[in-house]
Structure formats: structure tokens, C-alpha cells
Amino acid sequence: MRNKTQAGRLARKAYLFLLPSLAGTAVFVLLPYVDVVRRSFFEAAGGRFVAMQNYVTVVGNSAFRLASFNTLRFLVICVPLLVVVSLFCSMMIAGLKEGGTVFKTSLLVPLAIPVASIVLLWKLFFHPQGMVNQITALFGMAGVDWINGDTAFGVLVFTYVWKNLGYDVVLWVAGLAAISDELYEAARVDGASSFRIFGNIILPLIVPGIAAVAIFVLFSGWNEYMYSSVLISNDQLKTLTVGIISLNSQYQIKWNDLMAASTVSSLPLMVLFICFQKYFIAGMTGGAVKS
């Protein structure tokens, strides 16, 4: 009883100590975003309040709308692809008695390679052959038309998936290891097939993990800039982050438009996180699945 009382006192002291630190961290993190939103309502030069005029200008900009569509197209491909591929890679690793560690380590290698090195290598490899931003090459030669045969966009998708696959696999491996072997054995005794085991046992348990990995890929892909800025040179294929920078003219930085565009682009992520935060937190803290 005495130990519980002392533990309670220590917990209260720790709470009182951490609360100001957490509040200060929250303010430090939110201040830049608050300043961005504030500046989006003012004129760039004179600081005159223009209400929603900057937002009307940005939303009415055809280049901004096209960049938003390109980002959505990029995510529609990458999110399901990364979720499915990382899940089956992790299931393969979990089923391997030998070589699983080597396979998992090989998937983690891209995380150790600097982003600048990757994009420069891709640029040097594709550009001299005249393959970047062309209609027929790479995926086009393979007869794959699910990305309209565009090489630069295909390279962007491949690079992003290759770079992020290892991290997603780590989430899945830790989660799948938490599923009890007794569940598999009981299903086998009942005569269930591998597909039925996956559909009736594994799939219901990994719903938080699917949400966590999907949200992580979505947020990371939505804010991706380095690969897009180097690999995509065609204005018709630029993604949202690159398109926001393109709002500037040659001789002027349009801070008001940039702030409004940044605010608009961040709103979908905020809404999605608020709606699905419980799944994201459950997947991240529970090792991608619930036991």
C-alpha cells in the first residue's frame, strides 16, 4: 500500500513537471503554422488585410489544381501499393525460419541512403537516355498503362515505394509477431485454408496496422518534395509541393499566395488525422496490430 502511495506521488510530480514542457512544445510547434495562416489573410507587400482574396486566387489557379490532382494520383497508386507490398513482405519474413533477418535488413538499406544520392543517381541514369518525361519507356515498354505510361511519374512512384518499404515492413513485422501462434494452430486443426486464415483471423487483427501504415504513407507522400522536384521537370506532372513553389514569379516571391496555398494543402491532412487518429495511434503503439 505504501509503495502504491509513493508511486502515485511520483506520478503526480512527473505530471506537474512534464505539463509545462509539453505545453511549451505545443506552442513552439503551432506558432509557425499560426503565423502562416495569419499571413495568408494579408497582402504581400503593404500588409493590407484582404480576407479570402488570397485563397480565391490560389484555388482558381489552374497550375495549383493540376498539381493537387497529380498528388492525388500519386497517392492513389502509392498508398495501396505500399500497404499491400509491405504486408506481404512482412508475412514472408515472419514465415521464413532462415534468412528472414537478411531479407528484412535488405529492405532497410534504402533508409540508410541519403535522398540526394538517390535522386541524383536516377537523374543521371534516365536523363542522358532521353527517358525522363516521355510517354513510352520503362513502364510503357512493359505494357503497363496504369500510370499513363509516363516514365517520370513511374520513376517517382517506384523511388518513393522503394525508399519507404523498409520502414513499413518493420511496423508489420513487429505487429504480426504479436499474433498468437495458437490462433494459427486452432485454425489449421479446424481445416481452414491459408486464405481463410488470412481473411478471418489475420485481417481483422491488422485493421489498426493498415490504417497506421496508410496514414503514414499518405502524410509522407503528400509532403514529398525532393524526389518530385528533381525527377519531374514537366509542368503538367508537378506534384503539390513543387506546384506551390511554382506560384512564385521570376522576379517576385508571392508570400501571400504561398501562405494561402500551404494552408489549403494542409487542411486535408488535418481532417484525415482528426478522423482516423485513433487507428493511427493504435497501430503505432500496438505494433501495427492488436493482440
Side-chain angles (χ1 to χ4, degrees), residues 10 18 39 65 77 82 92 98 101 104 111 119 123 141-142 153 157-158 160 167 170 173 183 211 276:
L10 290 174
L18 291 175
R39 290 174 181 270
R65 295 200 302 269
I77 297 172
L82 264 173
M92 186 185 302
E98 298 180 0
T101 303
K104 182 172 67 174
L111 295 175
V119 294
K123 192 72 173 179
M141 288 188 295
F153 202 81
V157 170
F158 175 80
Y160 180 77
Y167 181 81
V170 170
V173 168
L183 291 175
F276 298 101

Side-chain angles (χ1 to χ4, degrees), residues 118-167:
I118 296 174
V119 294
L120 287 176
L121 285 173
W122 279 119
K123 192 72 173 179
L124 291 173
F125 178 76
F126 285 102
H127 186 67
Q129 302 179 42
M131 296 175 69
V132 175
N133 289 330
Q134 293 182 11
I135 301 301
T136 54
L138 195 63
F139 293 99
M141 288 188 295
V144 181
D145 196 39
W146 52 294
I147 54 172
N148 296 329
D150 185 84
T151 304
F153 202 81
V155 173
L156 176 62
V157 170
F158 175 80
T159 305
Y160 180 77
V161 172
W162 176 68
K163 180 70 174 177
N164 291 275
L165 182 61
Y167 181 81

Side-chain angles (χ1 to χ4, degrees), residues 176-187:
L176 292 174
I179 300 179
S180 175
D181 293 335
E182 284 77 8
L183 291 175
Y184 297 105
E185 294 173 1

Side-chain angles (χ1 to χ4, degrees), residues 14 20 56-57 107-108 153 169 186 192 196 200 209 212 220 230 262 270 277:
V56 173
T57 302
L107 294 176
L108 292 173
F153 202 81
V169 167
R196 189 174 180 182
N200 295 345
S220 178
V230 175
S262 300
M270 295 176 64
Q277 61 177 327

